[in-house]
């Protein structure tokens, strides 16, 4: 969970056919420490994330690439794509929508219509959640083995029909299409755009771009990155000015996010596309 791979890389097999541990003494020490601290997962997690090893930079130098290409020796900080649930939670957090509500029944975030349709009696219905429940953490999302939540599947979430301790990490066009076009992520992008405009109401373009960039990536943008965003801003402004109908269609199609009647619709739509772009960046969905 923290480094992208375990001290034993075959988490699904610790038997005679498993891979040997890369750091057997560290594994033994962690096991003993875990027992001595009352089997507390929180204390174990704190120990790992406060370690000098975890705090290293994830930058890959030619020397490190030659000596340890797979980071088996933990010569650098971890860098890997977030899990399916964390990608959604991260986008909700960036957009300002994430609910901190704990416990309760499962929730039904937006998904394409008809996925739960089946022939026969007692056909299950997917009643999309509204209000706060719509934006709760991924751990609360309803899970039907015959039809798992599709955006989780696109990011390698298992169907849970069997125990699956180790997930694969694939790269497919469906992942980019999900972040760009899935209804849930469209709602997040619109909320993110409104957050940028509300939190920087009287700022110039560059200040708004920097604020959006910091919210999405937790760092300052480079000059070249700012240039790209300025160009996107300019192109989208010209496109939307020539097509007022597309602005109306965009804002009218996202009923879960309320846009104030006093807001400049074209400005909101413009920042929607910038927010959508930032949420779709590889760095946004990557840890490290």
């Amino acid at each position: 969970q923290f480094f992208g791979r375990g001290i034993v890389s075959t988490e699904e097999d610790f038997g005679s056919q498993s891979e040997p541990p890369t750091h057997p003494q560290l594994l033994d020490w962690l096991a003993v420490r875990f027992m001595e601290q009352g089997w507390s997962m929180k204390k174990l997690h704190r120990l790992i994330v406060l370690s000098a090893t975890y705090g290293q930079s994830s930058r890959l130098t030619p020397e490190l690439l030659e000596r340890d290409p797979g980071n088996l020796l933990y010569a650098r900080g971890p860098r890997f794509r977030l899990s399916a649930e964390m990608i959604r939670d991260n986008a909700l957090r960036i957009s300002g929508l994430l609910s901190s509500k704990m416990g309760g029944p499962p929730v039904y975030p937006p998904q394409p219509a008809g996925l739960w349709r089946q022939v026969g009696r007692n056909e299950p219905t997917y009643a999309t959640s509204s209000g706060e429940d719509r934006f709760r953490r991924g751990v609360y999302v309803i899970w039907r083995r015959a039809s798992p939540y599709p955006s989780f599947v696109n990011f390698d979430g298992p169907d849970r029909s069997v125990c699956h301790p180790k997930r694969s990490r694939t790269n497919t066009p469906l992942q980019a299409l999900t972040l760009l076009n899935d209804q849930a992520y469209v709602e997040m992008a619109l909320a993110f755009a409104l957050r940028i405009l509300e939190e920087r109401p009287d700022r110039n373009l560059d200040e708004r771009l920097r604020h959006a960039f910091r919210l999405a990536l937790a760092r300052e943008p480079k000059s070249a990155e700012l240039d790209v965003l300025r160009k996107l801003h300019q192109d989208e402004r010209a496109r939307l000015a020539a097509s007022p109908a597309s602005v109306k269609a965009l804002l009218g199609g996202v009923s879960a996010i309320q846009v104030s009647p006093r807001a400049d619709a074209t400005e909101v739509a413009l920042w929607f596309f910038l927010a959508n772009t930032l949420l779709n960046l590889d760095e946004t969905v990557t840890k490290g």
Side-chain angles (χ1 to χ4, degrees):
Q1 291 296 316
F2 291 111
F3 286 91
R5 63 179 306 280
I7 294 175
V8 178
S9 63
T10 53
E11 290 98 320
E12 71 283 0
D13 184 0
F14 286 165
S16 60
Q17 301 298 313
S18 71
E19 290 290 323
T22 54
H23 301 71
Q25 293 177 322
L26 174 60
L27 182 60
D28 287 345
W29 183 84
L30 285 171
V32 172
R33 182 70 175 261
F34 181 47
M35 292 186 289
E36 290 177 345
Q37 294 190 329
W39 306 89
S40 171
M41 293 296 291
K42 286 187 176 181
K43 290 181 180 179
L44 181 64
H45 292 169
R46 186 180 300 114
L47 175 69
I48 293 172
V49 299
L50 294 179
S51 68
T53 304
Y54 184 75
Q56 296 178 110
S57 169
S58 60
R59 183 181 297 276
L60 180 60
T61 64
E63 294 78 11
L64 288 177
L65 180 61
E66 182 178 355
R67 292 178 54 195
D68 189 13
N71 202 27
L72 303 183
L73 304 178
Y74 305 124
R76 60 184 183 276
R79 186 180 189 276
F80 54 91
R81 196 189 70 211
L82 298 172
S83 65
E85 296 88 344
M86 290 176 68
I87 288 173
R88 178 177 173 274
D89 291 355
N90 184 53
L92 285 171
R93 179 66 177 175
I94 293 169
S95 66
L97 293 174
L98 183 64
S99 167
S100 59
K101 182 180 176 182
M102 301 288 286
V107 298
Y108 297 73
Q111 72 173 20
L115 292 184
W116 278 26
R117 184 179 181 183
Q118 67 182 43
V119 177
R121 299 178 61 187
N122 301 321
E123 179 176 328
T125 58
Y126 191 94
T128 304
S129 299
S130 58
E132 183 182 18
D133 283 349
R134 195 181 187 95
F135 309 117
R136 296 191 67 191
R137 292 167 53 214
V139 68
Y140 297 111
V141 171
I142 186 72
W143 203 281
R144 185 170 182 241
R145 290 179 179 175
S147 181
Y149 188 50
S151 76
F152 287 176
V153 173
N154 289 343
F155 286 100
D156 304 307
D159 63 9
R160 300 189 185 181
S161 59
V162 294
C163 181
H164 193 79
K166 184 177 181 179
R167 297 189 186 185
S168 59
R169 287 191 178 90
T170 61
N171 290 296
T172 73
L174 283 176
Q175 294 161 359
L177 291 172
T178 297
L179 296 178
L180 285 170
N181 300 320
D182 184 274
Q183 182 181 349
Y185 287 96
V186 168
E187 293 174 358
M188 295 177 211
L190 181 56
F192 186 19
L194 293 173
R195 181 183 181 185
I196 296 165
L197 294 173
E198 290 169 1
E199 294 182 357
R200 293 295 185 273
D202 302 317
R203 302 302 177 90
N204 59 32
L205 172 60
D206 280 7
E207 178 55 31
R208 281 179 169 175
L209 289 174
R210 289 191 178 94
H211 181 58
F213 205 92
R214 286 192 296 264
L215 289 174
L217 302 179
R219 67 172 176 86
E220 290 290 335
K222 300 175 182 176
S223 59
E225 292 167 332
L226 268 180
D227 289 341
V228 172
L229 291 175
R230 288 192 200 103
K231 181 66 165 57
L232 177 61
H233 181 275
Q234 178 182 350
D235 292 347
E236 287 301 315
R237 181 177 290 282
R239 184 179 68 83
L240 293 173
S243 178
S246 63
V247 174
K248 184 177 181 180
L250 170 64
L251 300 186
V254 190
S255 58
I257 306 299
Q258 298 299 316
V259 179
S260 171
R262 298 189 300 273
D264 183 333
T266 301
E267 191 74 6
V268 172
L270 169 62
W271 282 94
F272 163 83
F273 288 105
L274 285 160
N276 198 12
T277 299
L278 290 172
L279 290 177
N280 195 55
L281 292 178
D282 176 72
E283 189 174 343
T284 304
V285 298
T286 300
K287 172 183 170 63

